[in-house]
Amino acid sequence: LSRVPLLLGVILRLHNKGRLTEGLAIYESIIADLANELDRSKSLNRSFKISDDHLRLEFIRFLAFEQLIRYDLTTPKQDVHRIVFGYDVLKERAKAFLRTEASQHHPRDLVADALATPLLREVSHDTFAFTHLSLQEYLAASAFSALLEKNPLEGLSVFCRAYHNPTVVEMQVLPMSLALTGEADGLFREIERWPESTTFAGLRLRGRTLAYSIAISDQVRTGTLDRIAKILVKSTNEEEPYRRIILNSVNGITGGARDYLEEKIIPSLSGRSGFEDQKAAEALVSIGTSKSIEPLITTLDP
């Protein structure tokens, strides 16, 4: 996020105000800061026509969710249109949103309000995108998590379609959705029941989710971490090509999840300089804490 000058400015402003939070909450802080601002650098500048700040932000969440998650998931050729979209798409999304809200506002005014905020940017003439993909993913995830809790059956159906889309499953939107919802336990167990893909997409998705602060039972968490630890240290021929990719999926875990995974891997440092030692050392260098230093030195010292 800090690579975008606009967002770097927002992050610094939040830091100065003492509002810079951790984890997923930082996205909510940034969005709240941007949602009610007018971006005067845009060629389509106009004053807000709708005074309902909540309505404007909820429409932007709806737009992010519809484009990333509920978009036609069966046509991979059109994946780019989840991220880049035209004015006509915005107007159709506004119409659909206002029907759900039973609002009498004109869709064109709602679109104008949304485009006037810094959350959306003009890519080219009549073509738009979110200011940053991570913000779109978080906005979509927050809307998705609300659906999962409000209507679990519909939410599971949508989640299943998104999970089986090769583009969406590699994004952060599904891990964010799992981290935000109170239904994470059930969804983790559901994913475990599904056949694993040849790229271990389901396991990597659960690993990426654990990198966020997530309310999940110890049994479900340790089950996922045990499976990951086994692959990181004792990968089979089928698992070996994806071992480093799986390691990358848990590179951001912290707290108790990292401690548990580290403690599972340290005993694999036997000091015999075999393949298992090398794999365990590689994993601990990536995710380990100071507890790993002495075992690593003992194992790697010739």
Side-chain angles (χ1 to χ4, degrees), residues 14-38:
L14 291 171
H15 174 72
N16 291 336
K17 292 180 179 179
R19 292 170 50 205
L20 194 62
T21 50
E22 296 181 355
L24 287 176
I26 190 173
Y27 292 102
E28 193 64 40
S29 298
I30 292 171
I31 288 163
D33 194 80
L34 294 177
N36 302 321
E37 286 191 16
L38 177 66

Side-chain angles (χ1 to χ4, degrees), residues 59-70:
F59 167 61
I60 294 174
R61 290 189 201 278
F62 176 84
L63 172 66
F65 172 69
E66 292 294 316
Q67 290 301 115
L68 270 187
I69 301 296
R70 214 200 290 264

